[in-house]
Amino acid sequence: MKIRSLLLLGLLGLNYATLFAQEPVRPYDPYQVREVVEVPDEIKMVRGDKLKAYKITPDVARAVRVEMPDTLTHYTFEYISPEFRSLGVSYLGNTNSQWQAKLFFDRPRRVGDFFYTDGYYRMLYTPDAVRFYDTKTPFTYVRYHKNFKSNESEDVITADFGANLGKELNVGASFDYTYASGFYTQGRSKDARYRVFTSYRGDRYELFGYIANDYYKQEENGGITNADYIYNPERYTNSRTKISSRDVPVLISTGALTNRIRSGHAYLAQSYRLGSYRTVKRKQPLPIEGQEGSEVLQSLDSTYFVPVGGISLTTYYNKQSRRFFSHTESDQWGTVFGTPAVTHTRTNADGTTTTYTLPNDTAQLVTLQNTVALSLMEGFRPWVKFGLSAYLRQENRWASLPDLATERYTRTALSSTFIGGLIERREGTGLNFSARGELGVLGSDLGAFKLEGDIRTAFSLFQKRFALEADAYVDNARPSYFAAHHHGTYGWWDKSLSFTRRAELGGRVHLSSWGTSFEARTASLQNYIYFDSKGETQQHSDLIQVLALRARQAGSFGPINWDLEAAYQQSSAPSVLPLPSLTAAADVYLRFLLAKVLRVDLGVKGYWHSAYHAPYYMPTDQQFALQTEGNVGGQAPLLIAYANFRLKRARFFLQMYNVGEAFMTNERLSMYKYPYNPMHLSAGVVVDLNN
């Protein structure tokens, strides 16, 4: 508690120390990038347009404005929850544990180079996902979440800070700390993450950079031994009124088996823009002194910079490591994971020898990428309707794994060179599009290529607003090095894997006037990589077809509001790619004001999916493995009751997780052997310290 208090005080102090670091108003510039992303009304109520967030377009170092994260009141109770990441989620129970989307198209398109981190998808700082800011007043977002349990406590503290030092330079920091004791034996998890970032946005020179670290620690219990404790808890109460989650037996209850992930990285994107300064005359209303309500037009000359082209250099360094270990011996590991690939021998005091197993698996991947890009800017003349970019990227990777014969670590160096191009139109009022292609021309990725593109348009028909989107993706990729080479106590393989191929098409229709959207998506997969029942990499050479249809409808009638979403998906090879055929979520709530200042949302949100052979999480390599021993789903939904409140710049909530357990039979399994947490109350607060 002292550590959390000191962190909060430090963040508050840093925020108020920069009260006077405000950005002056920028001069009129008709060639500045038009903001194509609408700013939600809730953000405008708090800050107007004083705070802007940007993401960087990969490889070409171009800033694109995006929405601020974690701003809408209604979803405050769910922002940090795994359920918010997809329509259906498999995970270990704790907030920051490894997870996998039950919808195929919400999963990453490739197995990662350092595949041990795939379970933390969208939970790590990455160059294509982090945000940079431009603010006229310093901002600090602080979030705190806690459940009302003692032995199963869960605490989450996150904060984002940013301030402009002048009109061009921005500095900031992000921090995330989560500690969850876990509702089940040996299920503790922890993360500690931070990012320090800066950006400089001048007329000719731009810079975006950050230094970040991700740390995750997960105790492994292998899941529960008997799901009947969840289905029929009354059989095991032993005259008590209710069985505790800590009474449910787990596969690994001793030995303190732990997985630890570290990722330290640095990113720097620099660009120099070529162009010229121009002067434009414009008229601006000027009040007449002493005559209230009267104005005259005055002529003003404004000078602005017109970028024509640019050159950029992007550098990214990442050092990732993984350790799977225990400090004590246990016979339970062999029961769960089978025969070990690595054993140790010790000599006893009487001269006899004992063979034992003590996991201490480590792996490391160091990545260095440098990208040079040349760009022609969109809109530097009225007739220039799109931008063009070409880039050259050099990737160097060094993978380290133990060698069984020498008992030392061997380092494998991999190098690849890519050329690519990007064409995009972002500022059009009718039709916008982007297309990117890249080809591996040298090194281990020779012959790999990727093509992707999308097209977007919006129009009105019968006084209703419609938006259409379509996208395509084609990929021929070198398999993940660590998927092909894994050296561990339980599981040791070196395989020659074929290039994976993926062709994907998708289309979406948005009927914003009705709050309705439809999406259809299909993919063809060849040499698909999956993980068998032992968690070992396998490859399916035959073609796999995946089809998904998804619909959403949101609306209101008086104080009653709803948000309904459903998806249908089908896999042509369910034995290697099992998916629930139907997945749905429903959110129904009442919205009203108290004392004209406190906005309240009272509601219940439910998640449900049809039965299927959900995966099993394999701790030995942190992958989601196939299993055919049991189905998950098809019974009672997961229900979450909540109350969201907003009072000016403060948002807070109360949440009763898994409330359905109080009045109906609850299967309560997230995936095979891993249940959702039992019913419990939690609360949280989000404060925007608007200076």
Side-chain angles (χ1 to χ4, degrees):
M1 182 61 70
K2 292 182 179 179
I3 295 177
R4 290 195 294 268
S5 301
L6 290 173
L7 288 170
L8 288 172
L9 289 173
L11 288 166
L12 291 172
L14 184 61
N15 181 65
Y16 287 107
T18 56
L19 274 171
F20 302 101
Q22 299 186 8
E23 175 190 2
V25 178
R26 292 183 182 273
Y28 171 72
D29 183 356
Y31 278 87
Q32 67 183 348
V33 175
R34 293 191 291 274
E35 312 301 353
V36 296
V37 177
E38 291 187 6
V39 180
D41 291 338
E42 291 189 86
I43 301 176
K44 291 180 179 178
M45 286 191 300
V46 177
R47 293 185 173 273
D49 204 29
K50 296 179 180 179
L51 176 59
K52 301 176 183 179
Y54 297 89
K55 285 185 179 180
I56 306 302
T57 304
D59 297 309
V60 298
R62 187 174 306 144
V64 177
R65 190 176 179 190
V66 295
E67 293 181 1
M68 286 286 296
D70 192 7
T71 50
L72 302 182
T73 302
H74 181 65
Y75 297 105
T76 303
F77 78 97
E78 206 175 29
Y79 267 118
I80 65 170
S81 301
E83 285 82 13
F84 194 62
R85 300 171 192 154
S86 178
L87 193 59
V89 176
S90 297
Y91 67 108
L92 277 61
N94 285 351
T95 297
N96 62 341
S97 61
Q98 296 89 330
W99 73 285
Q100 183 187 59
K102 294 182 179 180
L103 269 62
F104 175 76
F105 291 105
D106 285 351
R107 299 175 184 176
R109 283 171 166 162
R110 296 179 178 178
V111 176
D113 271 337
F114 197 65
F115 79 155
Y116 307 105
T117 62
D118 284 0
Y120 294 108
Y121 177 55
R122 299 211 310 256
M123 296 171 66
L124 304 171
Y125 293 119
T126 57
D128 60 337
V130 299
R131 287 172 169 84
F132 297 89
Y133 301 99
D134 184 2
T135 177
K136 294 182 179 180
T137 58
F139 76 92
T140 303
Y141 282 111
V142 179
R143 311 165 191 83
Y144 180 67
H145 169 93
K146 182 178 180 61
N147 67 16
F148 293 92
K149 291 285 185 177
S150 54
N151 296 329
E152 299 88 12
S153 63
E154 183 175 82
D155 295 277
V156 181
I157 300 175
T158 66
D160 294 283
F161 163 80
N164 268 48
L165 307 178
K167 68 177 183 179
E168 296 170 332
L169 179 63
N170 178 274
V171 295
S174 299
F175 176 79
D176 187 324
Y177 174 82
T178 302
Y179 178 82
S181 299
F183 281 83
Y184 298 90
T185 304
Q186 295 290 346
R188 285 187 294 268
S189 64
K190 180 175 71 173
D191 80 66
R193 308 166 54 231
Y194 71 85
R195 180 175 71 105
V196 179
F197 56 87
T198 186
S199 63
Y200 177 87
R201 303 187 68 206
D203 289 338
R204 293 189 180 275
Y205 178 72
E206 290 189 338
L207 177 149
F208 300 89
Y210 73 81
I211 296 175
N213 271 287
D214 298 285
Y215 172 84
Y216 284 95
K217 183 179 181 180
Q218 176 68 52
E219 281 191 358
E220 305 290 5
N221 60 20
I224 62 176
T225 62
N226 187 356
D228 196 52
Y229 278 83
I230 304 298
Y231 302 153
N232 302 292
E234 67 281 356
R235 297 178 181 176
Y236 308 94
T237 56
N238 294 326
S239 302
R240 290 176 297 175
T241 57
K242 188 177 181 180
I243 188 172
S244 167
S245 60
R246 292 296 176 104
D247 295 326
V248 178
V250 295
L251 292 169
I252 303 172
S253 58
T254 60
L257 200 60
T258 303
N259 264 305
R260 188 180 66 192
I261 291 289
R262 295 184 185 271
S263 178
H265 36 122
Y267 175 80
L268 180 63
Q270 304 175 79
S271 60
Y272 183 80
R273 301 191 296 179
L274 305 174
S276 60
Y277 288 92
R278 297 183 185 178
T279 302
V280 65
K281 294 183 179 293
R282 64 188 179 99
K283 300 292 186 179
Q284 176 174 300
L286 178 68
I288 299 176
E289 185 176 355
Q291 300 183 26
E292 186 176 351
S294 300
E295 296 178 334
V296 296
L297 293 178
Q298 64 170 346
S299 178
L300 295 177
D301 292 342
S302 296
T303 300
Y304 58 91
F305 180 73
V306 181
V308 176
I311 182 171
S312 66
L313 172 64
T314 303
T315 301
Y316 178 59
Y317 173 84
N318 191 6
K319 183 178 180 180
Q320 300 168 281
S321 62
R322 180 251 184 177
R323 187 183 179 199
F324 174 61
F325 66 98
S326 178
H327 297 298
T328 60
E329 301 175 31
S330 173
D331 295 332
Q332 292 181 328
W333 305 330
T335 304
V336 179
F337 307 131
T339 304
V342 180
T343 58
H344 306 278
T345 302
R346 64 167 171 258
T347 303
N348 302 319
D350 58 1
T352 61
T353 59
T354 300
T355 300
Y356 67 99
T357 303
L358 190 64
N360 189 19
D361 306 344
T362 59
Q364 185 184 91
L365 178 66
V366 178
T367 302
L368 177 63
Q369 296 180 2
N370 286 286
T371 307
V372 178
L374 298 174
S375 299
L376 185 67
M377 302 299 181
E378 175 184 0
F380 70 87
R381 291 289 187 273
W383 48 269
V384 180
K385 302 298 184 181
F386 54 83
L388 285 172
S389 299
Y391 61 86
L392 173 69
R393 184 175 72 249
Q394 176 64 36
E395 295 185 2
N396 294 286
R397 298 175 297 277
W398 296 271
S400 297
L401 281 172
D403 184 272
L404 192 59
T406 64
E407 297 185 356
R408 296 181 179 180
Y409 284 85
T410 59
R411 197 177 204 191
T412 302
L414 304 168
S415 177
S416 299
T417 304
F418 293 86
I419 58 172
L422 171 67
I423 178 172
E424 60 180 347
R425 172 180 165 89
R426 299 189 53 85
E427 303 173 24
T429 56
L431 183 70
N432 290 294
F433 59 85
S434 68
R436 175 195 295 267
E438 69 175 33
L439 173 67
V441 294
L442 291 173
S444 59
D445 285 277
L446 178 65
F449 66 85
K450 179 171 67 175
L451 301 170
E452 58 183 328
D454 64 84
I455 186 169
R456 308 169 300 280
T457 187
F459 57 91
S460 295
L461 183 64
F462 305 118
Q463 297 183 340
K464 300 295 183 181
R465 190 67 175 169
F466 290 78
L468 301 177
E469 299 179 27
D471 63 88
Y473 179 87
V474 179
D475 189 10
N476 181 57
R478 171 190 55 80
S480 159
Y481 176 84
F482 283 92
H485 306 277
H486 169 71
H487 297 176
T489 301
Y490 293 96
W492 190 293
W493 64 82
D494 293 283
K495 299 186 176 185
S496 178
L497 301 178
S498 302
F499 271 43
T500 60
R501 300 182 181 92
R502 178 173 178 143
E504 182 178 329
L505 293 173
R508 290 169 295 278
V509 179
H510 301 278
L511 312 175
S512 55
S513 300
W514 299 333
T516 305
S517 63
F518 300 95
E519 179 179 5
R521 189 165 293 277
T522 183
S524 299
L525 313 173
Q526 189 176 32
N527 296 331
Y528 174 71
I529 293 178
Y530 66 97
F531 301 92
D532 63 19
S533 59
K534 297 181 180 179
E536 184 173 338
T537 303
Q538 302 295 342
Q539 200 164 30
H540 188 75
S541 59
D542 294 339
L543 194 66
I544 299 177
Q545 296 289 143
V546 182
L547 171 68
L549 303 174
R550 192 167 181 174
R552 182 177 183 181
Q553 209 287 319
S556 63
F557 182 78
I560 303 175
N561 294 259
W562 62 84
D563 190 347
L564 312 175
E565 190 171 5
Y568 168 80
Q569 56 184 352
Q570 187 177 48
S571 165
S572 64
S575 61
V576 298
L577 181 55
L579 299 169
S581 57
L582 293 175
T583 309
D587 184 12
V588 180
Y589 57 98
L590 296 175
R591 172 170 290 176
F592 53 90
L593 285 174
L594 288 179
K596 298 183 179 180
V597 293
L598 179 64
R599 198 177 94 171
V600 182
D601 288 355
L602 296 177
V604 176
K605 188 166 187 179
Y607 295 90
W608 178 90
H609 63 80
S610 57
Y612 78 113
H613 289 301
Y616 168 70
Y617 169 73
M618 185 62 70
T620 54
D621 57 3
Q622 299 180 268
Q623 300 304 316
F624 293 89
L626 296 178
Q627 62 83 27
T628 57
E629 297 179 6
N631 280 334
V632 172
Q635 298 186 25
L638 171 69
L639 298 179
I640 303 171
Y642 61 88
N644 275 333
F645 306 92
R646 180 163 196 157
L647 181 63
K648 294 185 178 179
R649 296 189 302 271
R651 290 170 284 148
F652 47 98
F653 70 87
L654 291 171
Q655 171 188 268
M656 183 63 76
Y657 186 83
N658 202 359
V659 69
E661 192 177 75
F663 54 85
M664 63 182 176
T665 302
N666 193 349
E667 184 188 34
R668 212 173 89 200
L669 282 184
S670 167
M671 58 180 172
Y672 184 64
K673 292 187 181 297
Y674 286 93
Y676 292 111
N677 287 331
M679 184 174 66
H680 65 275
L681 180 66
S682 61
V685 61
V686 180
V687 181
D688 175 11
L689 301 174
N690 183 3
N691 296 321

